[in-house]
Amino acid sequence: MRPIRAFNVTPALPQRLEALRTLAYNLHWDWDVEMVDLFRRLDADLWESSRYNPVLMLGTISQDRLNEIAEDEGFLAQMDRAAQRLEDYLRDRNWYKKHRANSVPGECYAYFSMEFGLTTCMPVYSGGLGVLAGDHLKSASDLGLPLVGVGLLYQEGYFAQYLNADGWQQERYPINDFYNMPLHLEREASGGELRIPVEYPGRTVYARVWRVQVGTVPLYLLDTNIEPNSQYDQDICDRLYGGDIDMRIHQEIMLGIGGIRMLKALGHTPTAYHMNEGHSAFMALERIRAFMDEEGLSFAEALLVAQASQMFTTHTPVPAGIDLFPPEKILHYLGHYRQRFGLGDDEFLALGRTETGDFSAPFSMAVLAIKTATFINGVSQLHAEVSRHMFGDLWAGLPLNEVPIHAITNGVHARSCVAKSTQALYDRYLGPNWSQASPGAALWQRVQAIPDDELWRNHEQCRSHLVVRVRERLMKSLRERGGSAREMTEAQECLDPFVLTIGFARRFATYKRATLFLHDLDRIRKIINGNGHGHRVQFVIAGKAHPKDIPGKELIRSIIHFTRDEGLSRSIVFVPNYDIHLSRDMVAGCDVWLNNPRRPREASGTSGMKAAMNGLPNLSVLDGWWDEADYIRTGWPIGHGEDYEDPDYQDDVEANALYDILEKEVVPLFYDRDKDEIPRGWVAKMKQAIYLNTPQFNTARMVKDYANQGYFAASDRAHTLAAQNYGPGRELAAWYERLIEHWYDIRIEEIAFSETTDLRVNQPFKVVARLGLGALTPEDVQVELYQGQVGVDGEIHTGIATPMTYQGQDADGHSFYVIEVEYTTSGLQGLSLRILPQHKYLNSPYDPKLVLWADPASVKVVSGIPLQPTTLSQGALS
């Protein structure tokens, strides 16, 4: 029976406890261990059963308990300290103020992501992408950045995982009760729900807006599960990554287009827009439309103005991971934008195509994001290199190493992932600012001052805590599916708190090779059982396979079957329903963090960073972030960065390398104890992991990089193009049109050298070029000499480009450029000449994606020119 009226009933807190409500609704409590202690103290059992949700806990705790605690002076003092700490935190975020003194008026950055992993009680994320987004918001708050997050709020979120008796993954979709989560419903001035309209074919879909307060950063989430939407439209925000291709495009329209409209309705006017993956790239279409309708710009002008303030981060190292939509779907759902822009079908679809002349090619969200962004980055040094290969064709003719896809390596939020006791240890010996200190800060030298025994005993406590938590989780899982008495007994006895514990937790995608450690069953059995010397090894494994990923589910089942068949249920434990809370226990309580994907398919990876912050050495293939870490001092590399064509051979080689490292290095180092039972060599490696990895692979460093390289520049550029009623933007668009019309009329006619083909190292020589620029002027182009070593194939693969100096024109209108260069190394060296566009309002000469190279078959080359400048001014080359 439907109610005739509904009310949102909030807890009736005694006035003295009202601060608890303020604390509960700001997620700062998630990374403040003392606030977590406060809520646990309120009711420890309820804290656990509520999935660590203070809002739900306050709504279900008995009034008697609230009245009792209101008289507890000790609790009240702790609560007052927590409230003061939150107040101080919200006021004293100073990094942005210090480093952006001359900011654009009203500066604000909008961060769009399909998922946000912030805390266990908000299961609206699937894995690393979401947790990275959540950590991004937390560090933006820590630094005081004026950032807002934009996403979708999923009624069923991502699935909860459980295993049947055969070890096959099953999915359950618990319903998220938004009214009992740390969410604020945004309302209009009249008090009614704020509703955001978004047009879909034949109807308008409405979304309401929920806000999550993440420290100083608001995260706004759109929710379509409301009337008057149809049932299908209500389900747009039903499940993360659920449904078919039509549902996916519905979600991405709501995120990108709905997100832009939501920000406007809330009164936010961002100066930079950050697309975390390509899911939100439709935002560009809405922003272009708004510039045309509201500012009177043409499509070409609006495109350039929108592009100036947009950034794109790709997390995908393989083409199969990119969202692609059939052309007919794009035209069906977004054809009204094509009409408003005045474009033909293929002109519109070209916004999302690499090969614009391939009229059957699908529409790529990543390509749309790249073509409408002023700054593009991958999430590790290696991933940026991979991305330049994936997307390099968008800059035809540009050497791969110059493709403007930058690297900002991911990080993790230190206070969110380091165990409570370990944080206290760092606070004591490093000082309270360690979680945000930059690489090279003096405090990191103090890591060596942490007493070995204190660090080791703390870690042993973390390992013991992990064992207890894993047993509890297994027991709970078995009770829910009706496990046998034997299984219950095994779960109560699994894992040994004194045995070397290896952790593996990630998405169960096949390329991550979760079962590589089982490649040689006899060998791993011996390693687990101690190889005859009693030094045993145990594994804690967790992770989810996508509901439709049958091979991923097979990997989970194979681990379960091997464990049962070999009687190793006490030594190999798969823990169901991996989430943020379990992750924190694992990265603190394991001894080694294992990662063995097929290189180079791990864009970055972040769980190993969390482990390193807790002092865990990593044991990993050189992929993602680990490839740029100090993998000798802070762990062990599997292989040396080789790439293989035969995956079976790769598995053989790297599995054997894994076993060798375990047998010869990891196990002996862990069990080599002194008279005090301290593994001094192991502790030394733990300290190196903390010292080298914590400051480098930290979102404090990462978000500063985004600010310095992206947000500040994009805001300045957008402000520049918008000045004087978008005068600079209009000028740039007119220049673009003229440039494209006349670019291919440029002729590189003659290149002359002051020397012949024989040169000595460091011998200077002069190069002069005569160009026909046609209707373009020297102010429109940048002429560069490109020099480097010639490979065996006769090509210069990696060269250095140096601008040439414009010297004037002759009577026939030819333009002359000169440069004096030398070679600093011997061997077969070569050079060429290239032309790039330039304009005072152009962000980069690569933005127009035009480059013209000298063609050896058509350019006249002469040697022995005089060195006198007068020759150049007269235009006589020989």
Side-chain angles (χ1 to χ4, degrees):
M1 180 180 295
R2 296 183 64 83
I4 60 172
R5 180 83 182 266
F7 301 90
N8 180 30
V9 182
T10 57
L13 294 178
Q15 184 60 38
R16 185 65 179 89
L17 298 179
E18 195 59 37
L20 288 175
R21 195 190 313 272
T22 302
L23 295 175
Y25 276 94
N26 191 313
L27 286 193
H28 180 251
W29 59 258
D30 180 74
W31 69 96
D32 185 310
V33 293
E34 294 186 36
M35 288 190 194
V36 170
D37 283 347
L38 178 73
F39 288 115
R40 184 180 288 113
R41 179 176 177 177
L42 187 61
D43 189 322
D45 292 337
L46 191 54
W47 178 247
E48 296 281 341
S49 63
S50 70
R51 288 178 58 82
Y52 322 104
N53 181 348
V55 173
L56 177 58
M57 189 170 74
L58 291 177
T60 54
I61 195 170
S62 71
Q63 201 68 40
D64 288 344
R65 176 57 178 159
L66 288 175
N67 293 334
E68 176 188 350
I69 209 74
E71 303 297 327
D72 185 332
E73 292 183 2
F75 181 89
L76 294 176
Q78 185 179 358
M79 181 190 71
D80 291 342
R81 288 194 301 271
Q84 186 61 52
R85 198 163 53 254
L86 175 61
E87 183 179 331
D88 293 343
Y89 173 87
L90 296 176
R91 183 182 63 248
D92 298 333
R93 307 293 93 208
N94 295 321
W95 182 88
Y96 170 78
K97 294 177 184 177
K98 291 179 180 178
H99 293 81
R100 190 64 169 153
N102 299 316
S103 63
V104 170
E107 192 160 274
C108 172
Y109 319 129
Y111 182 87
F112 283 65
S113 184
M114 194 76 162
E115 52 176 301
F116 288 89
L118 289 158
T119 187
T120 304
C121 68
M122 291 192 61
V124 291
Y125 66 95
S126 71
L129 177 71
V131 175
L132 181 280
D135 282 3
H136 192 111
L137 300 193
K138 292 175 182 179
S139 278
S141 172
D142 290 342
L143 298 171
L145 253 62
L147 184 137
V148 298
V150 178
L152 302 179
L153 186 60
Y154 304 98
Q155 188 75 63
E156 297 184 7
Y158 201 58
F159 68 92
Q161 176 198 55
Y162 67 100
L163 305 180
N164 66 16
D166 188 43
W168 189 256
Q169 173 182 293
Q170 306 287 297
E171 295 87 32
R172 198 170 45 234
Y173 288 88
I175 302 298
N176 286 321
D177 180 1
F178 300 154
Y179 292 98
N180 278 311
M181 295 170 69
L183 295 164
H184 304 261
L185 185 62
E186 292 293 321
R187 299 184 179 276
E188 296 177 322
S190 62
E193 290 182 357
L194 179 64
R195 298 286 177 91
I196 308 301
V198 178
E199 294 78 24
Y200 289 82
R203 82 257 190 222
T204 297
V205 178
Y206 295 90
R208 59 183 168 182
V209 181
W210 299 86
R211 173 171 54 87
V212 186
Q213 197 63 40
V214 187
T216 62
V217 170
L219 165 61
Y220 298 104
L221 301 172
L222 291 156
D223 166 26
T224 63
N225 193 14
I226 53 174
E227 295 181 347
N229 293 338
S230 69
Q231 186 59 56
Y232 183 92
D233 292 338
Q234 289 181 33
D235 290 345
I236 291 173
C237 294
D238 189 13
R239 296 179 180 178
L240 172 62
Y241 304 136
D244 56 15
I245 193 170
D246 286 282
M247 181 54 71
R248 176 63 67 88
I249 200 170
H250 274 79
Q251 290 183 335
E252 297 188 1
I253 288 171
M254 183 56 65
L255 174 63
I257 296 172
I260 292 296
R261 295 183 180 181
M262 174 184 68
L263 290 173
K264 182 178 180 181
L266 290 167
H268 291 289
T269 53
T271 54
Y273 296 78
H274 187 172
M275 296 173 276
N276 188 44
E277 256 309 337
H279 306 117
S280 59
F282 290 139
M283 71 157 66
L285 307 182
E286 174 62 12
R287 294 192 66 220
I288 291 168
R289 181 207 61 77
F291 280 126
M292 295 176 70
D293 290 349
E294 298 167 15
E295 306 296 338
L297 301 182
S298 68
F299 168 74
E301 293 165 347
L303 172 60
L304 286 176
V305 171
Q307 179 190 48
S309 57
Q310 292 184 183
M311 300 163 49
F312 170 53
T313 297
T314 173
H315 295 257
T316 306
V318 290
I322 296 170
D323 280 340
L324 301 174
F325 294 116
E328 62 272 14
K329 295 280 186 190
I330 294 294
L331 294 174
H332 175 69
Y333 286 106
L334 297 156
H336 54 290
Y337 283 100
R338 178 198 66 76
Q339 294 174 344
R340 178 63 189 90
F341 296 165
L343 302 177
D345 288 354
D346 289 313
E347 287 179 296
F348 181 69
L349 292 168
L351 290 169
R353 285 172 170 166
T354 301
E355 296 292 337
T356 56
D358 182 357
F359 300 144
S360 63
F363 188 94
S364 165
M365 295 298 284
V367 171
L368 173 62
I370 288 172
K371 286 188 174 183
T372 58
T374 188
F375 179 85
I376 307 147
N377 73 281
V379 290
S380 69
Q381 296 290 335
L382 180 59
H383 178 238
E385 180 183 332
V386 170
S387 299
R388 286 190 281 269
H389 281 273
M390 285 177 59
F391 300 114
D393 288 346
L394 287 167
W395 291 267
L398 198 64
L400 275 175
N401 66 305
E402 292 186 64
V403 169
I405 298 179
H406 309 277
I408 295 182
T409 302
N410 279 346
V412 294
H413 187 254
R415 292 286 183 182
S416 294
C417 67
V418 176
K420 174 187 173 183
S421 61
T422 310
Q423 288 193 41
L425 191 69
Y426 296 169
D427 288 345
R428 190 158 60 250
Y429 288 99
L430 309 182
N433 297 321
W434 63 269
S435 61
Q436 295 183 52
S438 299
L443 67 83
W444 294 113
Q445 300 299 326
R446 302 175 204 150
V447 170
Q448 297 303 324
I450 301 174
D452 287 1
D453 60 339
E454 198 170 345
L455 181 60
W456 180 245
R457 299 307 178 205
N458 173 75
H459 179 66
E460 288 190 312
Q461 290 176 7
C462 291
R463 192 191 311 116
S464 296
H465 176 77
L466 171 65
V467 171
V468 171
R469 300 300 292 177
V470 167
R471 290 173 179 175
E472 290 175 350
R473 281 213 175 210
L474 289 179
M475 291 290 292
K476 181 176 183 291
S477 176
L478 288 168
R479 281 194 298 268
E480 289 174 350
R481 75 163 175 83
S484 66
R486 178 184 57 80
E487 289 175 312
M488 293 284 191
T489 301
E490 289 178 348
Q492 289 175 319
E493 298 174 352
C494 75
L495 302 179
D496 184 329
F498 301 102
V499 167
L500 171 61
T501 305
I502 297 175
F504 180 96
R506 48 197 25 89
R507 241 179 350 110
F508 265 69
T510 52
Y511 79 86
K512 293 178 182 285
R513 298 189 296 179
T515 56
L516 185 68
F517 79 108
L518 301 178
H519 193 71
D520 185 332
L521 299 183
D522 289 336
R523 197 166 176 189
I524 192 61
R525 190 185 304 110
K526 291 177 182 176
I527 291 172
I528 288 171
N529 291 326
N531 261 332
H533 47 57
H535 293 162
R536 294 175 47 236
V537 175
Q538 59 193 12
F539 290 81
V540 180
I541 302 167
K544 298 177 179 179
H546 188 277
K548 296 179 181 179
D549 184 2
I550 301 304
K553 294 183 177 183
E554 291 281 4
L555 292 177
I556 295 173
R557 183 165 62 176
S558 66
I559 293 173
I560 302 297
H561 279 211
F562 171 77
T563 302
R564 291 175 182 169
D565 295 345
E566 297 295 327
L568 293 173
S569 59
R570 289 177 174 84
S571 299
I572 301 177
V573 178
F574 183 92
V575 190
N577 204 29
Y578 185 52
D579 60 13
I580 287 176
H581 209 75
L582 176 58
S583 167
R584 292 172 181 176
D585 288 337
M586 289 184 65
V587 297
C590 291
D591 298 298
V592 177
W593 201 254
L594 176 64
N595 188 28
N596 39 236
R598 292 192 194 281
R599 173 188 162 100
R601 301 196 50 189
E602 185 83 88
S604 175
T606 53
S607 61
M609 300 174 183
K610 298 173 186 176
M613 285 189 178
N614 282 278
L616 273 63
N618 274 261
L619 171 56
S620 177
V621 168
L622 294 181
D623 200 4
W625 78 279
W626 188 236
D627 184 63
E628 61 194 76
D630 189 331
Y631 44 77
I632 300 299
R633 287 195 283 174
T634 70
W636 299 271
I638 300 173
H640 301 285
E642 302 89 349
D643 294 330
Y644 298 85
E645 293 185 6
D646 183 345
D648 293 331
Y649 179 69
Q650 181 178 4
D651 290 351
D652 289 339
V653 171
E654 293 181 343
N656 285 325
L658 170 60
Y659 299 141
D660 285 343
I661 294 168
L662 288 173
E663 292 169 337
K664 298 174 183 178
E665 300 185 50
V666 176
V667 173
L669 189 66
F670 181 83
Y671 286 105
D672 181 16
R673 311 294 172 90
D674 66 6
K675 61 182 178 57
D676 298 319
E677 283 299 305
I678 307 295
R680 301 288 176 179
W682 189 273
V683 172
K685 195 171 274 285
M686 289 178 67
K687 288 184 177 181
Q688 289 296 324
I690 298 164
Y691 167 65
L692 293 171
N693 292 332
T694 302
Q696 183 62 33
F697 300 104
N698 188 319
T699 42
R701 184 273 311 155
M702 181 194 81
V703 174
K704 290 175 186 175
D705 286 349
Y706 277 112
N708 287 318
Q709 298 181 42
Y711 298 152
F712 297 167
S715 295
D716 289 342
R717 178 165 160 70
H719 182 69
T720 297
L721 294 189
Q724 299 170 334
N725 190 28
Y726 296 92
R730 297 175 196 270
E731 178 185 331
L732 183 62
W735 173 83
Y736 252 93
E737 183 178 3
R738 184 169 61 86
L739 177 77
I740 292 170
E741 181 181 357
H742 298 290
W743 179 257
Y744 296 101
D745 296 334
I746 296 175
R747 297 290 179 266
I748 302 174
E749 298 180 345
E750 191 171 359
I751 303 175
F753 305 92
S754 62
E755 303 295 335
T756 60
T757 56
D758 295 324
L759 294 168
R760 295 184 303 277
V761 171
N762 297 329
Q763 176 185 346
F765 64 98
K766 188 166 290 188
V767 182
V768 184
R770 185 178 71 188
L771 312 179
L773 298 180
L776 299 178
T777 71
E779 289 74 28
D780 296 325
V781 298
Q782 177 175 307
V783 182
E784 298 176 339
L785 190 74
Y786 187 82
Q787 58 185 128
Q789 190 165 9
V790 179
V792 293
D793 59 357
E795 300 283 339
I796 304 173
H797 293 283
T798 303
I800 297 173
T802 308
M804 299 181 73
T805 302
Y806 174 62
Q807 292 290 291
Q809 292 183 333
D810 63 12
D812 296 325
H814 297 114
S815 298
F816 291 84
Y817 291 80
V818 65
I819 190 173
E820 186 172 277
V821 293
E822 61 186 33
Y823 284 104
T824 57
T825 58
S826 59
L828 186 59
Q829 305 284 346
L831 56 78
S832 185
L833 183 142
R834 70 182 188 185
I835 303 174
L836 293 166
Q838 73 172 5
H839 189 277
K840 63 180 178 180
Y841 294 130
L842 196 62
N843 176 52
S844 161
Y846 303 140
D847 279 0
K849 298 179 176 60
L850 296 171
V851 57
L852 182 65
W853 290 89
D855 182 358
S858 60
V859 175
K860 181 180 180 182
V861 178
V862 296
S863 301
I865 63 170
L867 298 182
Q868 290 84 358
T870 53
T871 305
L872 304 177
S873 62
Q874 296 169 359
L877 291 179
S878 57

